[in-house]
Amino acid sequence: MSVMPKVPSYASGTSDKPLLGDTIGDNLGRTVRAFPDRDALIERASGRRWSYAQFAADVDTLALGLLSLDIGKGDRVGIWAPNCAEWTLTQYATARIGAVLVTVNPAYRAHELEYVLNQAGIRLLVTAERFKTSDYAAMVTEVRPSCPELEHVVPLATPVWERLLEHGRRGDPAALAERQAELSPDDPINIQYTSGTTGFPKGATLSHHNILNNGFFVGELCGYTERDRVCIPVPFYHCFGMVMGNLACTSHGAAMVIPAPAFEPAATLAAVEAEACTSLYGVPTMFIGELADPGFASYDLSTLRTGIMAGSPCPAEVMSQVIERMGMAEVSICYGMTETSPVSAQTRADDSLERRVATVGRVGPHLEVKVVDPHTGRTVPRGETGELCTRGYSVMLGYWEAPRETSEAIDAARWMHTGDLAVMDDDGYLSVTGRIKDMVIRGGENIYPREVEEFLHTHPDVLDVQVIGVPDPQYGEELMAWIRMKDGAAPLDAEAVRAFCDGRLAHFKVPRYVHLVDSFPMTVTGKVRKVEMRQAAVRLLEQSW
């Protein structure tokens, strides 16, 4: 009797809408002509507002100002600031003239700034003067002598910024139109530095075609039209803010709402209410913070219908509350990485709650995904765990001036190897079970931390939890759970956690150690830094031994 071959873990995304062949500037121009009077950008902190016609005029003024400084196609322009209207204006102004926008992490310190300025060869840096504990001006002064290619520093909200705009107001619009006509959708337009866990970060180089199409199709799957108003509390410096947020909006004529320079639960909820937002973005920890805000019940969130949760796996309990208490019935889970512009898979509005809490959805339009054996590279059958790979319009041009690192990430067939472990089911839905490097091997048993985290989230006193592997002389590795308790809850210890898990989790999946914390070490984009947690855990255990 013949055996039916198993279906491989491969899927490709179809669409009745073709890929966009525009540059970002051309696409913005089309939107402005269609919706000149609709809201384009609202900055809550200052109360400033732009219609699409006003936004385009200010983008062109800034673009002409940059041209007056001889900044042109291929030149690198850095931006180092928290979320603000000028950040968005700079994003589109650089795209209009073909300059490559280098987004600098607002959390960077002087040595990291110096590295990015030199590695990208930044000619002009737009920067905040200071924010919270960061004195950007002092750090720029410190590193500037070591950055020979840095010709111009333009601090926001200073006479230098105003002079740049004044030059732009005196510029010739014909020169800008001529410059834009020279651009190609395949030109590099953005460098985003990955928050590398070892060594210095790498600059993922993205084209107009990469990020414009990704923003457009993410917006399509969210059902965006010119009537949508999107609250964007996630950082612009990362793809979540500038692509899934800004470009998804401008490619549909929707409004971009900036609730605050950095994430604040109350400010975000207030922005949703005041601006009648229909969509809200965030990583799970942001939604947890909003749901736990003391004034949560007082905000009118009735205009919300959708949003995006991404950046890290979403606990089922959090997703349920976002739908039930925030009214985001069509909330979407997105999966991706900076190197893929970023989204490769997304849930759809008609997906069940189970699909949205247990998977990251299906492959996006015009993209391919497969799950492969990390050792052999062969595609595994559906239902088996392997490394997730993706291919298509979204895959970066490469790491900036790093051909070896590029070839390690993108194979000869242009598949991007994500480093994530995933399972594809019979319907093509993907479940991401962890990072290859995060998988814990305890006494020969493979343990995926996310499974344990999901289970511990069901404890009534647990607000949030992260599980890591720590060294163990007997088993090689043991599990440690870092737990944030709900307000007023009695502290949990290892014995209490074991009792909660007893008979419900396999014994080898029960955390041996429990560490209570007020917060987790995070990247500025809201991803938990498990590498930093493991380092701290080793120190904690050494002190107790």
Side-chain angles (χ1 to χ4, degrees), residues 441-444 471-478 507 512:
I441 304 176
R442 179 192 182 277
D472 183 79
Q474 182 177 359
Y475 293 103
E477 287 185 287
E478 274 283 10
H507 70 91
R512 180 176 177 183

Side-chain angles (χ1 to χ4, degrees), residues 58 60 63 67 116 140 211 310 356 367 390 419 468-469 481 497 514 531 536:
D58 282 0
D60 286 2
L67 286 179
V116 168
V140 171
I211 60 176
R356 278 183 272 176
L367 295 173
T390 184
I468 57 172
V497 169
V514 170
V531 169

Side-chain angles (χ1 to χ4, degrees), residues 276-293:
C277 291
T278 59
S279 177
L280 172 61
Y281 287 8
V283 298
T285 52
M286 290 181 175
F287 285 102
I288 290 169
E290 289 155 8
L291 290 161
D293 186 85

Side-chain angles (χ1 to χ4, degrees), residues 129-328:
E129 287 205 289
R130 59 186 48 81
F131 182 68
K132 293 187 175 178
T133 61
S134 294
D135 188 338
Y136 294 132
M139 286 187 273
V140 171
T141 300
E142 178 185 341
V143 306
R144 193 167 186 178
S146 305
C147 302
E149 294 185 62
L150 181 61
E151 299 172 30
H152 308 282
V153 175
V154 183
L156 295 172
T158 67
V160 179
W161 174 258
E162 292 305 321
R163 281 197 298 272
L164 178 64
L165 296 180
E166 187 54 41
H167 283 303
R169 294 184 190 102
R170 296 199 299 265
D172 181 5
L176 183 56
E178 181 181 336
R179 180 61 56 90
Q180 185 164 318
E182 299 171 356
L183 306 182
S184 161
D186 295 320
D187 291 335
I189 201 64
N190 180 216
I191 298 175
Q192 300 205 18
Y193 280 84
T194 61
S195 51
T197 54
T198 58
F200 283 105
K202 303 181 289 287
T205 307
L206 305 167
S207 66
H208 295 266
H209 192 69
N210 286 150
I211 60 176
L212 175 60
N213 275 290
N214 205 259
F216 175 72
F217 281 104
V218 165
E220 283 291 290
L221 294 184
C222 287
Y224 286 165
T225 71
E226 72 277 8
R227 293 181 294 279
D228 279 291
R229 305 171 69 79
V230 184
C231 185
I232 312 173
V234 294
F236 286 153
Y237 106 90
H238 186 261
C239 277
F240 200 171
M242 69 168 285
V243 178
M244 299 155 70
N246 292 346
L247 284 168
C249 287
T250 60
S251 60
H252 289 89
M256 301 167 279
V257 179
I258 306 172
F263 175 65
E264 299 172 20
T268 302
L269 295 167
V272 170
E273 178 180 64
E275 297 299 333
C277 291
T278 59
S279 177
L280 172 61
Y281 287 8
V283 298
T285 52
M286 290 181 175
F287 285 102
I288 290 169
E290 289 155 8
L291 290 161
D293 186 85
F296 176 84
S298 67
Y299 294 101
D300 180 1
L301 309 180
S302 60
T303 55
L304 285 176
R305 68 168 181 85
T306 188
I308 293 176
M309 197 180 297
S312 59
C314 174
E317 179 61 26
V318 176
M319 173 62 80
S320 297
Q321 290 193 53
V322 166
I323 293 172
E324 293 168 13
R325 298 178 62 200
M326 302 182 82
M328 295 168 59

Side-chain angles (χ1 to χ4, degrees), residues 5 22 36 67 92 96 128 145 160 182 192 212 293 375 395 398 412 434 439 448 459 462 473 475 508:
D22 298 336
L67 286 179
Y92 287 85
R96 284 276 276 147
V160 179
E182 299 171 356
Q192 300 205 18
L212 175 60
D293 186 85
H375 305 293
V395 175
M439 186 177 71
Y448 302 106
H459 192 290
V462 170
Y475 293 103
F508 61 86

Side-chain angles (χ1 to χ4, degrees), residues 300-440:
D300 180 1
L301 309 180
S302 60
T303 55
L304 285 176
R305 68 168 181 85
T306 188
I308 293 176
M309 197 180 297
S312 59
C314 174
E317 179 61 26
V318 176
M319 173 62 80
S320 297
Q321 290 193 53
V322 166
I323 293 172
E324 293 168 13
R325 298 178 62 200
M326 302 182 82
M328 295 168 59
E330 298 175 20
V331 65
S332 180
I333 292 289
C334 287
Y335 163 83
M337 60 193 305
T338 302
E339 291 88 337
T340 55
S341 302
V343 177
S344 300
Q346 186 172 351
T347 58
R348 276 52 167 180
D350 58 353
D351 280 336
S352 66
L353 174 62
E354 183 181 358
R355 292 287 197 197
R356 278 183 272 176
V357 299
T359 80
V360 293
R362 292 173 284 145
V363 63
H366 303 290
L367 295 173
E368 299 173 272
V369 292
K370 65 178 180 178
V371 181
V372 304
D373 184 310
H375 305 293
T376 67
R378 295 192 196 94
T379 304
V380 302
R382 295 198 178 192
E384 292 189 14
T385 300
E387 182 183 17
L388 181 57
C389 300
T390 184
R391 179 169 69 178
Y393 75 81
S394 66
V395 175
M396 66 175 177
L397 301 178
Y399 292 118
W400 184 259
E401 295 191 346
R404 181 178 62 82
E405 288 84 352
T406 300
S407 64
E408 290 171 355
I410 303 173
D411 66 26
R414 289 292 296 170
W415 285 100
M416 178 76 206
H417 289 252
T418 68
D420 283 326
L421 291 165
V423 178
M424 182 184 292
D425 71 13
D426 290 339
D427 297 317
Y429 286 83
L430 291 160
S431 298
V432 176
T433 57
R435 295 286 292 169
I436 291 175
K437 63 190 176 188
D438 284 346
M439 186 177 71
V440 178

Side-chain angles (χ1 to χ4, degrees), residues 71-78 94 98-102 117-125 149-150 191 400-401:
I71 299 295
K73 179 179 177 180
D75 287 330
R76 272 77 68 203
V77 173
T94 51
V100 179
L101 184 69
V102 183
L117 290 171
N118 285 322
Q119 206 277 331
I122 291 173
R123 284 189 60 201
L124 182 147
L125 177 66
E149 294 185 62
L150 181 61
I191 298 175
W400 184 259
E401 295 191 346

